[in-house]
Amino acid sequence: MAENSGTDPAVETNTEENAAASATIIKVTVKTPKDKEEIAIAEDSSVAQFKEEISKRFKAKQDQLVLIFAGKILKDGDTLGQHGIKDGLTVHLVIKTAQKSSSGSSQTSASSGPGPSQGNTAETANPSPASNLGTPEGSGPSPTPTQPPNILAGFGDLSGLGNLGMGSANFMELQQQMQRQLMSNPEMLSQIMENPLVQSMMSNPDLMRQMIVFLYSNFNILFLLVKTMELARNPAMMQEMMRNQDRALSNLESIPGGYNALRRMYTDIQEPMFSAAREQFGNNPFSALGGNTDNSGVQPSRTENREPLPNPWGPPDTTTATTTSGTASTTSSTTSSTTPSVSNPLGISSSSLGNGMFNSPGMQSLMQQISENPQLMQNMLSAPYMRTMMQSLSQNPDIASQVFMNNPLFAGNPQLQEQMRQQLPVFLQQMQNPESLSVMTNPRAMRALMQIQEGLQTLQTEAPGLMPSLIPGGMAAGIPGAPLPTGVNVTPENPPPSGQGPAPAPAPTPTAGTNTAQQQLMQQMLQMFAGGNASTPTPEVRFQQQLEQLSAMGFINGEANLQALIATGGDINAAIERLLGSQPS
Amino acid sequence: MADGRSFNVKLFIYDLSKGLARQLSPMMLGKQVEGIWHTSIVVYGEEFFFGGGGILSCFPGGTILGMSDSTVDLGNTEVPRDLFQEYLSSLRESTYRPEKYHLFEHNCNTFSSEVAQFLTGTKIPSYITDFPSEVLATPFGQALRPFLDSVTITPSGDNGMNGYGQW
C-alpha cells in the first residue's frame, strides 16, 4: 500500500529523498510501451515510493501503475533492492487506465479488476470471448454490466467481440480476432453468419474490400519467398517458371509503354545488383545477372553458360558475334533485358547476357574472377541441368537459333544472325567438348587468351594498317579473343554499303573491307586455336549456298565471289554490291 | 494484481529460408548466414508476433510456417495475461503499428525482443537481432535495400495464399 497517496506536492517527496539522501540515488529507466523516462530514486526505496515518483512523472495515478522487472510484478511492499533493481537498469511500466486502455482508444469500459478481464480494448477482448465460449483460459463471467450497449451486442455470446469492431479502429485486429475465434469454435461461424448484422457487413463492399486487401497483403510476400526457395531447389520447375515469366514479360512489352517499363525495371534492379555483385562475389560473379532478384542465385549459371567465355577461339563467330553485339550494345541503349521472349529458358539469359554482361565495365573484373577461380567455371558447367540444357540445345538447333535470334542484340543485325545460325551446331558441340571446358577452367589458358587479345589491341593501335578491322572500339571489355574473330567476320559486313546492323557496331569499326586475305588468315588462326575442333566449316562450305546463288546470277568469278561473301559474312546482297563495286560498270 | 501465478514464456524461431540461407548465403552475400529468422513469443498458450498486419496472435504453431524450427525457453513471467494484453495494445498504438513494419529495422524480431524483455527481463539470442545489420552490411544487402523497404512478412494463422508477389 502506498503511504503517500501521491497527491502531495514535491515536499513530501523531497523529504523522502532527503531522508534517503544518505543512501545512494540510482537512476532507473522506466519504460512504457510508448515512453521512456529516467527516474532518480534512492536505492533502498520501496516500490511504493518508486511508484510515487513515477506517477508524478507520467501523470498517472499510482493505482494505475504496474511495474514489471525481470518478469516479476513489483508489489508496493517490496523494495527495489529486493528485486535487484540497480542503477542503469530498466523497469517496465504499464499504465492501466480506468477503461483498461493505456491510450484511451477503447470505448467500452469494463471492470478493471481481476485476472481475466472483460473485453475492453481490442486486445483484452481476446480472453473475453474466449471465456465466453468457455475455452480453458477464460474463466470470466459474461460481460460486466458496466459495458455500454453496443451494436454488436446482438451477438449474444459473442458480445465480447462487440468491443472489437467499434472500439478499435484497427480493422486488422478484428480480423485476427475472428480468425482465432473461428478456429477455436466452429459453431461460431454459423452463429455469426446467421446474425443479421454480419450479413449487412458482408454486403458492405468497402469492408469486404478491406478484408481482402488485408489477406492479400499478408501472404504474397511470404509466398514469394517460399516459392523462390523451392525454385532454387528444383531447376526444372524453375525453367517452367522462367518460361512463364518470359511469356508474361513479353506480353508486358506489347503494352504501350511496357517496353520502357521493362527496360527501366532492368536498369533499376539489375544494374545495382550487378555492381553489388561484382564487388561481392568471390564465387559466383554472375549471380546478379539474371535481372531477376529472386532467381539470381541460380539462374546465372545459365546466363553464364551462353557467354562467350567458352572457348572464344572456337566456332568463334557465334560467340564473338555475341560479344561484339554485346559490347556494341553498350553504346546503344540498354535494350530490355527481359524481352527474350519466346518461352525458352535461355530467353532472359541471352538478353541479360548481352546487356548485363557487357554494359558494365565490371566485365574485366569478372574475367579475372573467372580465371582465378577455375573451379567455379567447372562447377557451373558441370551442373547437371546445364548439361541437359546444352544437350537439348545441340540436339535441337531450332531452339538454339530461336534463342539467339530473339536476343534483341541481334535483332538489327541479320548478318550476325546468319552467322550464328550457321555456327550454332558447331558452337554447341564445342560446348560439350571437354577440351573447351578445360580451356575455360584453366586459368592460365584464359590468361593467355587475354594476353593475346591485348596484344592484338596493341597491334591494332600500333599498326592500324595491318589489322584494320580487327577490333572495334567497344571491345576493351577484356573478353579474351572475342573481338578478334569478330573483327574478322562481323566488321566487314558493317561498312556503310551494307547499311544494316545497329549503328554502334559499325561505328567503332574502322573500315576494313578489303583485306579478305588477312581475314582468311585470321580465320585460319582462329581455327587453329580452336584446337581439336575440326568442325569449323571453311568459308567455301559455309557460303556454298550463296556461292551457288551468285554464280547463278552470273557472277562467274568464284574466287571473287567467295571473297566478297567472306567480307560480307554471307550476305548475298552486300556481296553483290561488293562485286559490282569492284567492276566498274 | 499479481496473483502469483507464473507463465512460461517461449521464443519460437523460424528459418524462413528452410535451410537455403545456410547454403546460398556465402554465394549471395559473401558471408555465412545461418538462416533468415522470424520469431514469435509464445505465452499464455498463444503465439504473438509482429508483421505487416501489426501485432497478431494465433495458437502456437498456427501460422502457415507451422511449428517453429527451434524454440528457446525464456523463463517465466508473473505478468498476467490481461496486463500483457494492455501492454500489447499500447504497443499497437505506438511503436508497433502495422505501417511501422520495416523488414530490417523494425520487424518481428524487434518485437519479440522487446516483449521478451518486458515479460522476463531476458533478451532473445543475439544472432537473431544482429541478422539485419549483418545483411545490410553486405553490398548485396545495400543494393536490395530499396526493394526490401517495401516488403513485409506476415505469416498468418489462416491459409489464404493468394497472389504472387508484389513488385
Side-chain angles (χ1 to χ4, degrees), chain B residues 83-94:
Chain B
L83 187 65
F84 181 62
Q85 296 289 6
E86 270 206 48
Y87 170 73
L88 280 189
S89 71
S90 353
L91 282 185
R92 268 203 188 83
E93 278 134 23
S94 56

Side-chain angles (χ1 to χ4, degrees), chain A residues 138-199:
Chain A
S139 55
S142 47
T144 60
T146 53
Q147 277 178 355
N150 54 70
I151 332 185
L152 292 177
F155 274 170
D157 280 353
L158 307 176
S159 50
L161 273 178
N163 305 315
L164 297 178
M166 294 308 109
S168 165
N170 189 343
F171 188 72
M172 313 276 195
E173 290 171 25
L174 170 64
Q175 182 73 355
Q176 204 60 21
Q177 297 306 325
M178 293 187 68
Q179 259 183 12
R180 289 180 47 252
Q181 299 313 322
L182 283 177
M183 288 194 296
S184 51
N185 187 350
E187 281 119 35
M188 203 171 114
L189 181 59
S190 44
Q191 275 182 347
I192 287 182
M193 292 317 282
E194 279 158 31
N195 188 309
L197 182 63
V198 168
Q199 284 170 358

